[in-house]
Amino acid sequence: MEPLQGERVADDESLAERTVRAAIRAYRLHPFDAVDASVVAEVAGVSLETVERLFPTWDALLLVTYDRWAQLRGSRRVTEPSCTIDHVRLTLAEDVADPGLVRVLAGVVTIASSESRFSDLFRKRFEEYVEELTVGLQRDFDRGVEESSIPAYQAATQLLAVYEGMQIQMLVRPYIDVLVEFDRAVGTLRQGWKRHDVPSWDLDEVPVRV
C-alpha cells in the first residue's frame, strides 16, 4: 500500500530538516570547500539521491542551512543584551565557540557577489542584517543608550564592518582575541559617532592654535 500524499509530504519535511541539520554538523566538522551533497548525505545517514531530490541545487541547500543556523544563534542566551553593540558582541562570542557558521558566512560572500541564481537571496540576507542593526541602533540612540551625530544606518554599516572584519580575523588569524579587539574597535566607533564634523567653510568653529 502506497503512502498517502500527506504522509509523503510529512516524510519529506522530516528528511529535509534532518538533511539541513546534517549540513550544519558537516560544516562544523569540515572546511567550507570540503562539504558537498555526498558529505551531507553521509552525515545525515541518507542516500545521495535523497539529498539531491529534496534540494535539487546545492545553493538551495546552502541557503536553507544558512537560515536555519542563523535562527539557532542566540537561542541559548540566558540574559538579554543591554544594547545593539552588546548583541553583536554576544554574537561574535557565539561565533568563536561555533566557527563553522563563520566559514559558511565567508563562503556565501562569493555567491552573494556573483550573478548566480541565488545571489539576490544571499544579498538580501546581508541587507536584512544591516536593517536589523539600524533599527536596534536607532532605538539605542532614542533611549540615550548610545550617542551619535550620524544616521543610524551609517552607524550600522560601520558596526557591521567591524563585526565581519573580526569574523575574518578569527578564521585567518586564530591567535588573535577577537573579542578584545572588537571592544577596542567599538570604543573608537563610539567616539567617532559622537564627533560633529565641522564644515570647512565654518571658520568660526575651527579652533585656532596659538
Side-chain angles (χ1 to χ4, degrees):
M1 182 176 179
E2 292 186 1
L4 299 176
Q5 180 67 26
E7 292 175 341
R8 288 197 297 269
V9 170
D11 287 345
D12 280 354
E13 289 177 351
S14 177
L15 280 172
E17 176 66 17
R18 179 176 172 180
T19 301
V20 171
R21 289 184 176 274
I24 292 175
R25 290 198 299 274
Y27 279 118
R28 282 173 169 156
L29 294 170
H30 306 291
F32 179 79
D33 58 358
V35 178
D36 57 18
S38 62
V39 172
V40 173
E42 181 180 355
V43 174
V46 300
S47 68
L48 176 59
E49 290 73 19
T50 297
V51 173
E52 292 178 338
R53 178 175 63 82
L54 294 170
F55 299 96
T57 66
W58 177 249
D59 285 354
L61 175 55
L62 186 58
L63 181 64
V64 175
T65 300
Y66 173 96
D67 286 343
R68 185 72 180 97
W69 208 340
Q71 290 172 359
L72 294 173
R73 298 166 91 188
S75 60
R76 296 183 179 179
R77 292 179 184 175
V78 295
T79 57
E80 290 295 321
S82 61
C83 63
T84 303
I85 285 179
D86 284 349
H87 164 68
V88 175
R89 191 185 191 281
L90 284 171
T91 305
L92 182 60
E94 291 160 357
D95 292 340
V96 172
D98 192 14
L101 178 56
V102 179
R103 292 195 291 268
V104 172
L105 290 170
V108 301
V109 167
T110 58
I111 300 174
S113 61
S114 70
E115 299 300 326
S116 68
R117 177 184 171 190
F118 284 82
S119 59
D120 286 344
L121 294 174
F122 281 108
R123 281 197 292 269
K124 183 181 178 183
R125 300 306 189 271
F126 285 93
E127 291 295 337
E128 288 172 345
Y129 193 53
V130 175
E131 291 173 7
E132 177 188 331
L133 294 181
T134 299
V135 171
L137 285 171
Q138 186 61 62
R139 183 169 56 245
D140 294 342
F141 296 161
D142 293 342
R143 292 166 50 212
V145 175
E146 302 283 358
E147 296 180 43
S148 178
S149 62
I150 66 173
Y153 74 88
Q154 290 184 1
T157 297
Q158 294 172 11
L159 177 59
L160 182 59
V162 170
Y163 169 56
E164 291 182 336
M166 292 304 165
Q167 286 182 313
I168 297 301
Q169 295 298 318
M170 184 185 82
L171 294 179
V172 301
R173 304 173 71 196
Y175 51 86
I176 289 179
D177 189 330
V178 292
L179 291 174
V180 170
E181 297 304 326
F182 177 83
D183 290 341
R184 290 171 176 164
V186 162
T188 302
L189 271 186
R190 280 175 160 149
Q191 291 302 315
W193 291 348
K194 296 175 184 178
R195 187 167 55 243
H196 291 268
D197 291 332
V198 177
S200 58
W201 48 264
D202 195 353
L203 299 180
D204 291 338
E205 296 295 330
V206 178
V208 179
R209 293 183 178 179
V210 180

mmCIF file of all heavy atoms in Angstrom, residues 12-28 40-41 43-44 46 51 54-55 60-72:
data_model
loop_
_atom_site.group_PDB
_atom_site.id
_atom_site.type_symbol
_atom_site.label_atom_id
_atom_site.label_comp_id
_atom_site.label_asym_id
_atom_site.label_seq_id
_atom_site.Cartn_x
_atom_site.Cartn_y
_atom_site.Cartn_z
ATOM 1 N N ASP A 12 8.966 13.941 3.695
ATOM 2 C CA ASP A 12 9.946 14.798 3.021
ATOM 3 C C ASP A 12 10.351 15.972 3.914
ATOM 4 O O ASP A 12 11.519 16.365 3.948
ATOM 5 C CB ASP A 12 9.379 15.327 1.703
ATOM 6 C CG ASP A 12 9.479 14.294 0.585
ATOM 7 O OD1 ASP A 12 10.095 13.226 0.821
ATOM 8 O OD2 ASP A 12 8.948 14.552 -0.512
ATOM 9 N N GLU A 13 9.378 16.542 4.648
ATOM 10 C CA GLU A 13 9.707 17.640 5.551
ATOM 11 C C GLU A 13 10.643 17.160 6.658
ATOM 12 O O GLU A 13 11.593 17.862 7.034
ATOM 13 C CB GLU A 13 8.429 18.224 6.153
ATOM 14 C CG GLU A 13 7.581 19.009 5.157
ATOM 15 C CD GLU A 13 6.288 19.513 5.772
ATOM 16 O OE1 GLU A 13 5.985 19.094 6.915
ATOM 17 O OE2 GLU A 13 5.595 20.310 5.123
ATOM 18 N N SER A 14 10.394 15.983 7.167
ATOM 19 C CA SER A 14 11.252 15.412 8.202
ATOM 20 C C SER A 14 12.648 15.138 7.655
ATOM 21 O O SER A 14 13.656 15.429 8.307
ATOM 22 C CB SER A 14 10.627 14.127 8.744
ATOM 23 O OG SER A 14 11.476 13.531 9.703
ATOM 24 N N LEU A 15 12.706 14.594 6.444
ATOM 25 C CA LEU A 15 14.001 14.322 5.816
ATOM 26 C C LEU A 15 14.746 15.611 5.508
ATOM 27 O O LEU A 15 15.971 15.677 5.645
ATOM 28 C CB LEU A 15 13.799 13.514 4.530
ATOM 29 C CG LEU A 15 13.572 12.005 4.685
ATOM 30 C CD1 LEU A 15 13.205 11.390 3.336
ATOM 31 C CD2 LEU A 15 14.827 11.328 5.255
ATOM 32 N N ALA A 16 14.003 16.635 5.089
ATOM 33 C CA ALA A 16 14.649 17.917 4.768
ATOM 34 C C ALA A 16 15.261 18.525 6.021
ATOM 35 O O ALA A 16 16.397 19.021 5.998
ATOM 36 C CB ALA A 16 13.633 18.875 4.142
ATOM 37 N N GLU A 17 14.527 18.501 7.134
ATOM 38 C CA GLU A 17 15.054 19.022 8.395
ATOM 39 C C GLU A 17 16.271 18.220 8.834
ATOM 40 O O GLU A 17 17.270 18.784 9.293
ATOM 41 C CB GLU A 17 13.967 18.973 9.468
ATOM 42 C CG GLU A 17 14.419 19.409 10.855
ATOM 43 C CD GLU A 17 14.802 20.876 10.944
ATOM 44 O OE1 GLU A 17 14.430 21.643 10.030
ATOM 45 O OE2 GLU A 17 15.481 21.260 11.924
ATOM 46 N N ARG A 18 16.203 16.914 8.679
ATOM 47 C CA ARG A 18 17.336 16.044 9.020
ATOM 48 C C ARG A 18 18.544 16.374 8.158
ATOM 49 O O ARG A 18 19.681 16.410 8.631
ATOM 50 C CB ARG A 18 16.907 14.594 8.824
ATOM 51 C CG ARG A 18 17.970 13.543 9.115
ATOM 52 C CD ARG A 18 17.344 12.174 8.956
ATOM 53 N NE ARG A 18 18.312 11.100 9.040
ATOM 54 C CZ ARG A 18 18.003 9.808 8.929
ATOM 55 N NH1 ARG A 18 16.736 9.457 8.752
ATOM 56 N NH2 ARG A 18 18.936 8.874 9.004
ATOM 57 N N THR A 19 18.302 16.650 6.883
ATOM 58 C CA THR A 19 19.387 16.971 5.959
ATOM 59 C C THR A 19 20.031 18.308 6.305
ATOM 60 O O THR A 19 21.261 18.450 6.283
ATOM 61 C CB THR A 19 18.846 16.995 4.512
ATOM 62 O OG1 THR A 19 18.294 15.716 4.188
ATOM 63 C CG2 THR A 19 19.962 17.327 3.525
ATOM 64 N N VAL A 20 19.212 19.299 6.636
ATOM 65 C CA VAL A 20 19.742 20.621 6.988
ATOM 66 C C VAL A 20 20.570 20.540 8.262
ATOM 67 O O VAL A 20 21.653 21.134 8.366
ATOM 68 C CB VAL A 20 18.586 21.637 7.139
ATOM 69 C CG1 VAL A 20 19.097 22.948 7.726
ATOM 70 C CG2 VAL A 20 17.933 21.891 5.779
ATOM 71 N N ARG A 21 20.083 19.806 9.253
ATOM 72 C CA ARG A 21 20.844 19.650 10.490
ATOM 73 C C ARG A 21 22.158 18.905 10.230
ATOM 74 O O ARG A 21 23.185 19.197 10.855
ATOM 75 C CB ARG A 21 20.008 18.923 11.535
ATOM 76 C CG ARG A 21 18.868 19.765 12.093
ATOM 77 C CD ARG A 21 18.119 19.059 13.208
ATOM 78 N NE ARG A 21 17.096 19.916 13.792
ATOM 79 C CZ ARG A 21 17.309 20.785 14.764
ATOM 80 N NH1 ARG A 21 18.521 20.900 15.291
ATOM 81 N NH2 ARG A 21 16.334 21.531 15.239
ATOM 82 N N ALA A 22 22.116 17.970 9.306
ATOM 83 C CA ALA A 22 23.340 17.261 8.936
ATOM 84 C C ALA A 22 24.320 18.192 8.239
ATOM 85 O O ALA A 22 25.543 18.094 8.436
ATOM 86 C CB ALA A 22 23.005 16.083 8.023
ATOM 87 N N ALA A 23 23.803 19.116 7.431
ATOM 88 C CA ALA A 23 24.671 20.088 6.765
ATOM 89 C C ALA A 23 25.360 20.974 7.796
ATOM 90 O O ALA A 23 26.558 21.278 7.672
ATOM 91 C CB ALA A 23 23.863 20.932 5.784
ATOM 92 N N ILE A 24 24.626 21.367 8.833
ATOM 93 C CA ILE A 24 25.227 22.165 9.905
ATOM 94 C C ILE A 24 26.343 21.376 10.579
ATOM 95 O O ILE A 24 27.447 21.905 10.801
ATOM 96 C CB ILE A 24 24.155 22.580 10.934
ATOM 97 C CG1 ILE A 24 23.177 23.583 10.304
ATOM 98 C CG2 ILE A 24 24.804 23.178 12.177
ATOM 99 C CD1 ILE A 24 22.010 23.952 11.202
ATOM 100 N N ARG A 25 26.080 20.112 10.888
ATOM 101 C CA ARG A 25 27.114 19.290 11.520
ATOM 102 C C ARG A 25 28.318 19.122 10.603
ATOM 103 O O ARG A 25 29.471 19.147 11.054
ATOM 104 C CB ARG A 25 26.545 17.918 11.895
ATOM 105 C CG ARG A 25 25.548 17.953 13.028
ATOM 106 C CD ARG A 25 25.346 16.573 13.635
ATOM 107 N NE ARG A 25 24.832 15.608 12.678
ATOM 108 C CZ ARG A 25 23.544 15.441 12.409
ATOM 109 N NH1 ARG A 25 22.627 16.191 13.020
ATOM 110 N NH2 ARG A 25 23.153 14.537 11.536
ATOM 111 N N ALA A 26 28.061 18.948 9.300
ATOM 112 C CA ALA A 26 29.151 18.774 8.344
ATOM 113 C C ALA A 26 30.052 19.996 8.289
ATOM 114 O O ALA A 26 31.284 19.883 8.248
ATOM 115 C CB ALA A 26 28.580 18.468 6.958
ATOM 116 N N TYR A 27 29.438 21.191 8.301
ATOM 117 C CA TYR A 27 30.234 22.418 8.269
ATOM 118 C C TYR A 27 30.963 22.665 9.585
ATOM 119 O O TYR A 27 31.955 23.376 9.611
ATOM 120 C CB TYR A 27 29.344 23.612 7.921
ATOM 121 C CG TYR A 27 29.071 23.748 6.446
ATOM 122 C CD1 TYR A 27 27.778 23.658 5.944
ATOM 123 C CD2 TYR A 27 30.124 23.951 5.545
ATOM 124 C CE1 TYR A 27 27.532 23.784 4.580
ATOM 125 C CE2 TYR A 27 29.882 24.071 4.193
ATOM 126 C CZ TYR A 27 28.588 23.988 3.716
ATOM 127 O OH TYR A 27 28.343 24.104 2.369
ATOM 128 N N ARG A 28 30.461 22.091 10.660
ATOM 129 C CA ARG A 28 31.197 22.177 11.918
ATOM 130 C C ARG A 28 32.422 21.271 11.904
ATOM 131 O O ARG A 28 33.424 21.547 12.563
ATOM 132 C CB ARG A 28 30.277 21.795 13.085
ATOM 133 C CG ARG A 28 29.318 22.910 13.489
ATOM 134 C CD ARG A 28 28.312 22.436 14.525
ATOM 135 N NE ARG A 28 27.579 23.569 15.089
ATOM 136 C CZ ARG A 28 26.380 23.472 15.645
ATOM 137 N NH1 ARG A 28 25.767 22.301 15.720
ATOM 138 N NH2 ARG A 28 25.784 24.559 16.131
ATOM 139 N N VAL A 40 27.092 15.598 3.132
ATOM 140 C CA VAL A 40 25.859 15.837 3.896
ATOM 141 C C VAL A 40 25.037 14.556 3.976
ATOM 142 O O VAL A 40 24.491 14.215 5.036
ATOM 143 C CB VAL A 40 25.043 16.974 3.269
ATOM 144 C CG1 VAL A 40 23.682 17.101 3.946
ATOM 145 C CG2 VAL A 40 25.807 18.292 3.351
ATOM 146 N N ALA A 41 24.951 13.838 2.866
ATOM 147 C CA ALA A 41 24.191 12.581 2.853
ATOM 148 C C ALA A 41 24.784 11.579 3.835
ATOM 149 O O ALA A 41 24.047 10.900 4.566
ATOM 150 C CB ALA A 41 24.185 12.000 1.445
ATOM 151 N N VAL A 43 26.592 12.232 6.562
ATOM 152 C CA VAL A 43 26.348 12.690 7.937
ATOM 153 C C VAL A 43 24.882 12.474 8.316
ATOM 154 O O VAL A 43 24.562 12.102 9.454
ATOM 155 C CB VAL A 43 26.735 14.176 8.097
ATOM 156 C CG1 VAL A 43 26.355 14.688 9.482
ATOM 157 C CG2 VAL A 43 28.230 14.360 7.867
ATOM 158 N N ALA A 44 23.974 12.698 7.372
ATOM 159 C CA ALA A 44 22.540 12.549 7.638
ATOM 160 C C ALA A 44 22.106 11.096 7.702
ATOM 161 O O ALA A 44 21.042 10.788 8.260
ATOM 162 C CB ALA A 44 21.732 13.280 6.570
ATOM 163 N N VAL A 46 21.458 9.303 4.971
ATOM 164 C CA VAL A 46 20.510 9.087 3.877
ATOM 165 C C VAL A 46 21.290 8.940 2.582
ATOM 166 O O VAL A 46 22.501 9.181 2.534
ATOM 167 C CB VAL A 46 19.506 10.260 3.768
ATOM 168 C CG1 VAL A 46 18.707 10.409 5.052
ATOM 169 C CG2 VAL A 46 20.227 11.563 3.428
ATOM 170 N N VAL A 51 19.130 13.449 -0.880
ATOM 171 C CA VAL A 51 19.556 14.843 -0.718
ATOM 172 C C VAL A 51 19.305 15.622 -2.003
ATOM 173 O O VAL A 51 18.765 16.744 -1.973
ATOM 174 C CB VAL A 51 21.038 14.917 -0.327
ATOM 175 C CG1 VAL A 51 21.519 16.373 -0.325
ATOM 176 C CG2 VAL A 51 21.273 14.288 1.044
ATOM 177 N N LEU A 54 15.548 16.297 -2.538
ATOM 178 C CA LEU A 54 14.998 17.324 -1.655
ATOM 179 C C LEU A 54 15.548 18.706 -1.985
ATOM 180 O O LEU A 54 14.846 19.708 -1.871
ATOM 181 C CB LEU A 54 15.308 16.972 -0.200
ATOM 182 C CG LEU A 54 14.636 15.716 0.354
ATOM 183 C CD1 LEU A 54 15.218 15.358 1.708
ATOM 184 C CD2 LEU A 54 13.127 15.918 0.472
ATOM 185 N N PHE A 55 16.822 18.747 -2.376
ATOM 186 C CA PHE A 55 17.488 20.020 -2.698
ATOM 187 C C PHE A 55 18.177 19.868 -4.056
ATOM 188 O O PHE A 55 19.359 19.516 -4.120
ATOM 189 C CB PHE A 55 18.497 20.377 -1.603
ATOM 190 C CG PHE A 55 17.891 20.565 -0.249
ATOM 191 C CD1 PHE A 55 17.874 19.527 0.681
ATOM 192 C CD2 PHE A 55 17.306 21.771 0.117
ATOM 193 C CE1 PHE A 55 17.297 19.687 1.930
ATOM 194 C CE2 PHE A 55 16.726 21.946 1.367
ATOM 195 C CZ PHE A 55 16.721 20.896 2.270
ATOM 196 N N ALA A 60 20.566 25.946 -3.016
ATOM 197 C CA ALA A 60 19.298 25.902 -2.285
ATOM 198 C C ALA A 60 19.514 25.306 -0.897
ATOM 199 O O ALA A 60 19.016 25.828 0.103
ATOM 200 C CB ALA A 60 18.269 25.085 -3.062
ATOM 201 N N LEU A 61 20.257 24.201 -0.822
ATOM 202 C CA LEU A 61 20.547 23.600 0.476
ATOM 203 C C LEU A 61 21.394 24.537 1.328
ATOM 204 O O LEU A 61 21.166 24.676 2.536
ATOM 205 C CB LEU A 61 21.279 22.262 0.283
ATOM 206 C CG LEU A 61 21.757 21.564 1.566
ATOM 207 C CD1 LEU A 61 20.614 21.364 2.546
ATOM 208 C CD2 LEU A 61 22.425 20.235 1.226
ATOM 209 N N LEU A 62 22.353 25.204 0.714
ATOM 210 C CA LEU A 62 23.216 26.123 1.448
ATOM 211 C C LEU A 62 22.409 27.281 2.023
ATOM 212 O O LEU A 62 22.616 27.695 3.171
ATOM 213 C CB LEU A 62 24.316 26.652 0.525
ATOM 214 C CG LEU A 62 25.395 27.520 1.170
ATOM 215 C CD1 LEU A 62 26.108 26.770 2.287
ATOM 216 C CD2 LEU A 62 26.411 27.979 0.109
ATOM 217 N N LEU A 63 21.460 27.810 1.252
ATOM 218 C CA LEU A 63 20.640 28.924 1.722
ATOM 219 C C LEU A 63 19.762 28.502 2.906
ATOM 220 O O LEU A 63 19.667 29.217 3.913
ATOM 221 C CB LEU A 63 19.762 29.449 0.580
ATOM 222 C CG LEU A 63 18.864 30.645 0.919
ATOM 223 C CD1 LEU A 63 19.690 31.865 1.274
ATOM 224 C CD2 LEU A 63 17.928 30.963 -0.244
ATOM 225 N N VAL A 64 19.138 27.339 2.797
ATOM 226 C CA VAL A 64 18.286 26.860 3.878
ATOM 227 C C VAL A 64 19.125 26.568 5.123
ATOM 228 O O VAL A 64 18.714 26.870 6.255
ATOM 229 C CB VAL A 64 17.509 25.600 3.439
ATOM 230 C CG1 VAL A 64 16.714 25.026 4.607
ATOM 231 C CG2 VAL A 64 16.575 25.924 2.291
ATOM 232 N N THR A 65 20.309 26.010 4.921
ATOM 233 C CA THR A 65 21.215 25.737 6.046
ATOM 234 C C THR A 65 21.629 27.034 6.717
ATOM 235 O O THR A 65 21.626 27.144 7.956
ATOM 236 C CB THR A 65 22.458 24.977 5.554
ATOM 237 O OG1 THR A 65 22.047 23.735 4.961
ATOM 238 C CG2 THR A 65 23.421 24.695 6.699
ATOM 239 N N TYR A 66 21.979 28.028 5.930
ATOM 240 C CA TYR A 66 22.354 29.353 6.444
ATOM 241 C C TYR A 66 21.230 29.927 7.302
ATOM 242 O O TYR A 66 21.444 30.388 8.426
ATOM 243 C CB TYR A 66 22.665 30.263 5.258
ATOM 244 C CG TYR A 66 22.910 31.710 5.587
ATOM 245 C CD1 TYR A 66 24.202 32.199 5.755
ATOM 246 C CD2 TYR A 66 21.862 32.610 5.713
ATOM 247 C CE1 TYR A 66 24.431 33.537 6.043
ATOM 248 C CE2 TYR A 66 22.081 33.941 5.998
ATOM 249 C CZ TYR A 66 23.365 34.400 6.158
ATOM 250 O OH TYR A 66 23.586 35.721 6.455
ATOM 251 N N ASP A 67 19.996 29.880 6.782
ATOM 252 C CA ASP A 67 18.857 30.444 7.505
ATOM 253 C C ASP A 67 18.584 29.681 8.800
ATOM 254 O O ASP A 67 18.324 30.284 9.846
ATOM 255 C CB ASP A 67 17.611 30.424 6.620
ATOM 256 C CG ASP A 67 17.645 31.470 5.522
ATOM 257 O OD1 ASP A 67 18.450 32.414 5.626
ATOM 258 O OD2 ASP A 67 16.876 31.340 4.556
ATOM 259 N N ARG A 68 18.636 28.355 8.729
ATOM 260 C CA ARG A 68 18.353 27.552 9.926
ATOM 261 C C ARG A 68 19.415 27.781 10.985
ATOM 262 O O ARG A 68 19.100 27.909 12.184
ATOM 263 C CB ARG A 68 18.327 26.058 9.544
ATOM 264 C CG ARG A 68 17.929 25.141 10.707
ATOM 265 C CD ARG A 68 16.467 25.291 11.003
ATOM 266 N NE ARG A 68 16.051 24.440 12.114
ATOM 267 C CZ ARG A 68 15.924 24.841 13.366
ATOM 268 N NH1 ARG A 68 16.159 26.109 13.670
ATOM 269 N NH2 ARG A 68 15.547 24.025 14.312
ATOM 270 N N TRP A 69 20.673 27.850 10.576
ATOM 271 C CA TRP A 69 21.764 28.051 11.513
ATOM 272 C C TRP A 69 21.667 29.438 12.153
ATOM 273 O O TRP A 69 21.867 29.603 13.355
ATOM 274 C CB TRP A 69 23.095 27.886 10.801
ATOM 275 C CG TRP A 69 24.236 27.411 11.645
ATOM 276 C CD1 TRP A 69 24.341 27.468 13.008
ATOM 277 C CD2 TRP A 69 25.432 26.792 11.196
ATOM 278 N NE1 TRP A 69 25.531 26.931 13.428
ATOM 279 C CE2 TRP A 69 26.231 26.514 12.329
ATOM 280 C CE3 TRP A 69 25.926 26.469 9.932
ATOM 281 C CZ2 TRP A 69 27.487 25.916 12.236
ATOM 282 C CZ3 TRP A 69 27.176 25.863 9.834
ATOM 283 C CH2 TRP A 69 27.942 25.595 10.978
ATOM 284 N N ALA A 70 21.341 30.428 11.343
ATOM 285 C CA ALA A 70 21.201 31.792 11.864
ATOM 286 C C ALA A 70 20.080 31.871 12.890
ATOM 287 O O ALA A 70 20.169 32.623 13.872
ATOM 288 C CB ALA A 70 20.948 32.765 10.716
ATOM 289 N N GLN A 71 19.006 31.107 12.691
ATOM 290 C CA GLN A 71 17.908 31.084 13.653
ATOM 291 C C GLN A 71 18.350 30.500 14.993
ATOM 292 O O GLN A 71 17.834 30.888 16.048
ATOM 293 C CB GLN A 71 16.744 30.261 13.105
ATOM 294 C CG GLN A 71 16.017 30.905 11.941
ATOM 295 C CD GLN A 71 15.000 29.973 11.308
ATOM 296 O OE1 GLN A 71 14.846 28.819 11.738
ATOM 297 N NE2 GLN A 71 14.317 30.443 10.292
ATOM 298 N N LEU A 72 19.287 29.573 14.954
ATOM 299 C CA LEU A 72 19.749 28.927 16.181
ATOM 300 C C LEU A 72 20.671 29.822 17.002
ATOM 301 O O LEU A 72 20.816 29.622 18.209
ATOM 302 C CB LEU A 72 20.494 27.618 15.829
ATOM 303 C CG LEU A 72 19.643 26.513 15.206
ATOM 304 C CD1 LEU A 72 20.544 25.355 14.763
ATOM 305 C CD2 LEU A 72 18.584 26.029 16.185
#
